[in-house]
Every structure is written in C-alpha cells, then in structure tokens.
DNA sequence: CTTCTCACG
DNA sequence: ACGTACGTGAGAAGT
C-alpha cells in the first residue's frame, strides 16, 4: 500500500493506493462499512483523455473517498484491481461525482457497470452547484468547477489538481493533450491528486446541498435534473452514425473551395482570409468605405459587412444594388468553407468510434438559463440553410431520420407566463400568431411588412431588445418601430405587465429570477431587462426536458439522437419511423398553463441533411433528395 | 489568454 | 429618466 497524507481545511487526510491483493481486501472492507452505513462516497476516475469512445481510450484509475480518506484503485494494473473497483461501484449505495456523466460513461464502457445500474445511485455535484448559481466564475458566479467550489467552501488552499498536473506533464516532457495518457501510473502527484478529488467532492456535496435547501430549491428539481442527465447520457452513449464515405468527400470539396477563394483573395494582398485586419486594409486600399467598428475600435469586416460589399443579402442572394467587390466575395466563401471543414467536417471524419459513430458531449444543464449545450461536435450549431454538413449524419442501418420540434415555443411560453389573455386566445384557436398580431395592430388589410414587424417586436419582447436594436435588425425606420412597439403593448398589455413584474421580483430576490419549476436564474444588475428572456428561455428548456423524461417513460429513448433546444432528432426503423415520430410528437406536445405547446413531426430519409434539402420556396426538393439521399434514391428506383 | 468571427435555437 | 436584443461552442489570429 502507498500512503499520501494531505491536510485539507486543517484536517489530516490520507490517500491509500492498494498494491497487493491484501491491500485490495482492506479496500473492500472499507467499502462494506460505507455500504452498511449507507454513506455517500465521493467518486472520480482518471483516464487517458476525454475521447471516451476512441479505440485507444483507457480507464486508468477509479477513486473513492470520504472526508478523511481516499482509495485510488489502479484499474490499469490488471483484472484484480479492475474487479475490485467494479465490485465497489456495484456495492456502494450512494455516490457523488463532479460532472457525473463523464465518469458514468467511462465506467459503462470500460468497467462494465451499466449506466442504468449506476446512474440512479449517483449525485452530480455539478448539478447541485448549478441549481444554486448557474454562472461560471468569470461571470460573477461561484463557478462550476470542483476546484472553484472547494476553494470557496472547503479549503481556499486546496490544490487545483488539473492545473497542477498540467505542470507535472510539462516537467516530464508531455503536454495537456498527452500527459493524461503518458504519465506513469505510480507518479506520486498523480496518485495524490486522484485521491484528493474524491475527498474534495465528498466534502463539498453536503455544503452545496445545505445551501440549496436554504435557498428553497425543491428536491423534486434536483431529482428532475438527475433524470434528465441520465437520459442525455443514454443519447450520448448511443451516438450518431456518420456517413464516412460522404464526409471524406465533403472535407476534400470544402478544402478545394476554401483554397480556390483564398487564392483569389491573395490577388488582392490578403494572405490569410481569417485575419480581419488584412481584409480591412485591403478593402480600404480598394477604395471601400468601412464604417462599422468592433468593440475594440477596429474596422469591422464580419459577414454582414462583407455581404453588403459583395452585393448580397443576408441569405447570400444577389441584390443588384452595386458592383460586387470580388475580394469581399472571395473572403466570405473561403472563410465559410474553411470553417465548415474544420469545425464540422474534420470532426465527423476523425472523431468517430470503431462503429463509425460520433458521441457528442451532451451537457444537460449548462447555460445560465439551464439550457443544454452540446460540445466536441457542436451538433446544435450545424448550418441549417445548407444541407451539406448535416448530410454527414445518418440514421442507423435500416433506419430513417426524424425530427420533432415545438411550434414557436418561446412566444407560447411567454404568453403562458404572462397570462396574456388575447395572445393565449389566438394560440388556443390555432391562429398564426404573427398574422393575428398584424391584424390586431394594422387591421385586416395588414401587409407582409406589417407581419414581419409584428414578429420582430415579439422577438424583441422575448429577448428584451428595444426600438433601436429592432430598427437595426429589420432595417425599418426607428419611428415606425417605436409606433409598432407601442401598438404591441396596447394589444398585448399582459406582456409588458409581466416583464415589469418579473424584473421587480428579480430585484426583490437579490437579482435572481425564479421560474415556475423553482429554478434560480442569477441576473446581472446592469442587465435586469434580460429577466423576461431568462424566464422564457429557461422555462422552454424545462418543457423540453420534461418531454424527454416522458419519452423515456414510454420507452422512446432508444430512438432519440439529440435534443436541440426546441427539437428532438431521432432515428427509427423504416417500418415504424412514421409511428415513432408521431408518438414522439404526441409525447412532446403538452399544455402549459392553458397554452397548447404544439409539435411538428417530420420524417426524412437516411440522412439528417434530407430534412434540409429544400427549394427557394422552402418546399422539399424531391429531385435533390433523390440525388443526395440514399433512402429517397431507393424509393425512386422502386417507383 | 483575448478578440473577432460565425454556426445554431 | 432612459434603454439595453438572449443563450451557446469553436477556430484563427494576435498578444
């Protein structure tokens, strides 16, 4: 046995690292005592990295700890150790881990303890922290990293184990990227810190939980988040199938496209299209007048500016209002192709498991508003105006893709929260809300421009924007916008009343918005206007999460691939996909404070891209689908 | 590490 | 007194 003493908050702690069978027996006796006492035990793993599903990935150690003592089980050393860790995970009744989905998925895949077995016994301390204060440290919150939480609540001098280990990696000639894989399993600092994390997480949890109770957050919300986390972990474990042949071709084509336009840009002296200063200087040199500036005062040459210079609208359609600037055009196209290649194409090509599946990290409770995020493949941010990137993700063999989204969920949630009678009536009657609004304000002879304005004002309400921003966004004169906002407030008085009220309550609560689910959303003092948006965005997120749990209860999780804010993407066998999509749509649909939240199921072909192959009018392009999607191509052959 | 840019809902 | 567009993840360049 190796021993590593360490003082935390003035108390001696001990990390033990078993080396022999007899040492492991001692560990098992400790586990049995914890099991009998029903005590919460801290849990953590050390692995070769973050790419849990890659072929060369390994679980190195599994750590267990209480406030005084930790055990580091070096799983890597052989089956005797792995079996001890496995047994402990099956035996301990209550565990706490920080960012539990990571460890749960590692254990599921590399130690053979299934998610379904372990997840119900695990508390995620990150969920506890987020439910009290969702802000990262740099936004004025407590922070959500274990180190930050412990520095505040346990021991300010507790080591930053991740950061300190990075220094150790450098000292042995490795980097942050390679160190976790290469460091010797017997390295004393590695073992010491592995144990400390288990001790720290078990020390922090009761403090975090006490604070949460004191703030009045219900246990039901804590349980809700843990179930959501579990369902998302199931989706992450399943992953999405990538069409590897297609993606390889896509990456090559995007590279050629990026290079072609980069070489055009070079003719105007721009050697790097991603260097804004070069682009700005060259454009000025060509006689263009650049007026917009960035926050730091530099000339702005973003997409919007360049599209103007290239004589295109925001949808890249020719406008015919000026002579297109060829450099602006080349920079736009090169940057877009380059970004799509690196951010999406290369990940789909290179980050798949042996079965060709991509497992994006689903962070079920992430944003300040509790919205989810998806990382290490930003699956929520793939281009939607062009099908080519999404075409890379395909349904399983013998499956078709489906997607179900909520119709105008944020406006409906706002109508419900605000109890806006007129708006609720329009929604209940199934009216197109923006038509209805335009008619209310401008009468039955309203124009398309009126509808657009009404829709814009609605967005302004959801986002907390004002007349100036809306005028800038829509291009409408500010006086017209002001008139429209005043009219909107007149016909929907409930919205303005609710906005004032939610801001007043937030101030009274110490700049915290409390949502109907009892969630606390910290508000910046100088941005109180964001309160309405926070309440709406967060409540809409909770609606989707409740739907996920309802779907799980109905056995639909096996068909789900991704949650995307107001939408669920899935894959189901061709013979039942229509039925599954309908069932998902029915399950997601719900009544929210008297407002129907309707859903719109859509079934595509083999690829996600098939749901985006539309013509200029927004109708599905059958010829394109038959050319580019395997399922529609086969349907065409059959016909 | 910060800034700028750009993809989404 | 006034008005404030919301929330993410990611890459490249520059410091």
């Amino acid at each position: 046995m190796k021993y590593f003493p360490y003082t935390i908050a003035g108390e001696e702690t001990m990390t033990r690292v078993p080396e022999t069978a007899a040492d492991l027996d001692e560990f098992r006796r400790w586990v049995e005592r914890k099991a009998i006492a029903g005590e919460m035990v801290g849990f953590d793993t050390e692995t070769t990295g973050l790419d849990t599903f890659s072929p060369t990935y390994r679980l190195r150690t599994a750590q267990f700890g209480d406030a005084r003592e930790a055990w580091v089980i070096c799983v890597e050393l052989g089956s005797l150790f792995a079996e001890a860790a496995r047994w402990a995970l099956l035996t301990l009744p209550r565990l706490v881990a920080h960012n539990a989905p990571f460890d749960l998925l590692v254990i599921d895949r590399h130690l053979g303890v299934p998610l379904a077995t372990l997840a119900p016994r695990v508390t995620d301390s990150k969920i506890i922290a987020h439910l009290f204060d969702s802000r990262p440290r740099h936004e004025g919150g407590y922070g959500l990293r274990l180190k930050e939480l412990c520095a505040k609540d346990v021991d300010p001098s507790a080591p930053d184990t991740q950061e300190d280990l990075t220094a150790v990696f450098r000292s042995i000639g490795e980097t942050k990227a390679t160190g976790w894989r290469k460091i010797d399993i017997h390295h004393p600092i590695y073992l010491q810190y592995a144990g400390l994390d288990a001790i720290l997480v078990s020390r922090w949890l009761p403090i975090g939980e006490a604070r949460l109770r004191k703030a009045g957050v219900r246990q039901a919300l804590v349980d809700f988040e843990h179930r959501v986390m579990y369902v998302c972990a199931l989706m992450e474990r399943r992953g999405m199938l990538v069409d590897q042949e297609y993606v390889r071709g896509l990456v090559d084509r995007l590279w050629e496209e990026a290079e072609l336009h980069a070489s055009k840009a070079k003719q105007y002296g721009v050697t790097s299209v991603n260097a804004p200063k070069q682009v700005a200087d060259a454009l000025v040199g060509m006689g263009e007048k650049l007026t917009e500036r960035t926050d730091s005062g530099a000339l702005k040459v973003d997409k919007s500016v360049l599209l103007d210079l290239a004589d295109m609208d925001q949808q890249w359609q020719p406008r015919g209002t000026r002579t297109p600037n060829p450099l602006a055009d080349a920079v736009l196209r090169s940057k877009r192709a380059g970004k799509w290649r690196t951010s999406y194409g290369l990940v789909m090509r290179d980050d798949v498991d042996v079965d060709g599946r991509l497992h994006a990290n689903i962070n079920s409770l992430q944003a300040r508003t509790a919205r989810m995020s998806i990382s290490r493949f930003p699956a929520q941010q793939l281009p939607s105006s062009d099908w080519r990137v999404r075409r890379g993700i395909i349904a399983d063999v013998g499956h078709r893709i489906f997607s179900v989204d909520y119709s105008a969920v944020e406006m409906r949630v706002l109508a419900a929260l605000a109890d806006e009678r007129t708006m609720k009536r329009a929604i209940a009657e199934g009216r197109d809300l923006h038509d209805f609004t335009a008619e209310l304000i401008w009468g039955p002879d309203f124009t398309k421009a009126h509808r657009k304005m009404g829709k814009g004002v609605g967005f302004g309400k959801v986002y907390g924007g004002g007349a100036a921003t809306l005028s800038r966004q829509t291009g409408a004169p500010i006086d017209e916008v002001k008139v429209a906002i005043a009219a909107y407030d007149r016909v929907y008085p409930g919205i303005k009343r609710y906005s004032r009220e939610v801001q007043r309550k937030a101030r009274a609560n110490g700049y915290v918005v409390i949502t109907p689910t009892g969630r606390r959303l910290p508000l910046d003092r100088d941005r109180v206007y964001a309160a309405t948006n926070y309440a709406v965005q967060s409540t809409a997120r909770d609606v989707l999460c409740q739907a996920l749990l309802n779907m799980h209860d109905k056995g639909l999780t096996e068909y789900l691939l991704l949650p995307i804010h107001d939408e669920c993407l899935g894959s189901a066998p061709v013979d039942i996909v229509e039925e599954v999509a309908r069932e998902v749509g029915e399950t997601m649909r719900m009544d929210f404070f008297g407002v129907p939240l309707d859903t719109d199921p859509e079934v595509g072909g083999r690829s996600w891209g098939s749901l985006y192959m539309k013509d200029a009018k927004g109708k599905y392009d059958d010829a394109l689908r038959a050319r580019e999607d395997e399922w529609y191509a086969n349907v065409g052959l059959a016909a």
Side-chain angles (χ1 to χ4, degrees), chain A residues 422-440:
Chain A
T422 308
M423 195 180 276
K424 281 171 79 170
R425 199 175 63 236
I427 296 166
E429 287 170 2
R431 294 285 308 269
D432 176 295
L433 190 57
H434 305 308
D435 278 346
F436 181 86
T437 305
E439 193 176 331
L440 268 185

Side-chain angles (χ1 to χ4, degrees), chain A residues 320-449:
Chain A
T321 54
R322 58 159 285 172
T323 310
N325 181 303
L327 172 59
D329 187 86
V331 169
L332 277 166
R333 293 179 194 280
S334 181
K335 277 175 78 173
R336 182 169 67 170
K339 178 178 173 169
W340 288 8
R341 178 176 175 274
T342 53
S343 293
Y344 312 126
L346 290 181
V347 181
M348 286 194 279
R349 192 189 70 182
D350 300 333
D351 289 7
V352 290
D353 67 14
V354 289
D355 301 316
R357 302 187 79 89
L358 188 54
H359 303 264
N361 298 143
I362 304 175
N363 311 301
S364 63
L365 180 60
Q366 173 72 13
R368 185 190 292 215
T369 56
R371 261 195 176 188
M372 301 190 190
S373 76
I374 301 186
S375 55
R376 292 174 50 77
F377 188 55
Q380 289 175 322
Q381 290 126 277
L382 307 194
S384 60
S385 59
D386 186 308
W387 53 269
R388 288 183 298 162
V389 171
R390 294 189 196 232
R391 169 65 183 78
I393 302 295
I394 54 176
D396 290 2
V397 176
H399 285 215
R400 289 170 69 190
I401 285 283
F402 70 88
S403 157
V404 181
D405 65 351
Y406 284 108
S407 315
V409 68
E410 291 200 337
M411 282 310 297
R412 293 184 185 215
V413 164
L414 177 59
L417 291 178
D419 195 18
E420 204 331 297
R421 302 294 165 84
T422 308
M423 195 180 276
K424 281 171 79 170
R425 199 175 63 236
I427 296 166
E429 287 170 2
R431 294 285 308 269
D432 176 295
L433 190 57
H434 305 308
D435 278 346
F436 181 86
T437 305
E439 193 176 331
L440 268 185
I441 297 179
W442 292 285
D445 297 328
F446 70 88
T447 63
K448 272 194 169 172

Side-chain angles (χ1 to χ4, degrees), chain A residues 98-99 125-137 141-149 365-368:
Chain A
H98 196 73
N99 196 17
S125 46
K126 195 174 169 188
I127 289 178
I128 304 300
H130 193 286
L131 289 178
F132 181 75
D133 187 335
S134 55
R135 293 170 299 177
R137 208 174 162 73
Y142 280 43
L144 295 160
R145 297 188 184 122
L146 183 59
K147 161 67 193 167
E148 294 163 343
L149 298 168
L365 180 60
Q366 173 72 13
R368 185 190 292 215

Side-chain angles (χ1 to χ4, degrees), chain A residues 72-94:
Chain A
V72 179
I73 309 302
C74 296
V75 172
E76 187 177 280
L77 293 180
S79 57
L80 204 61
F81 294 86
E83 190 44 48
R86 212 176 89 85
W87 175 83
L89 287 167
L90 291 169
T91 304
L92 290 163
R94 297 166 72 213

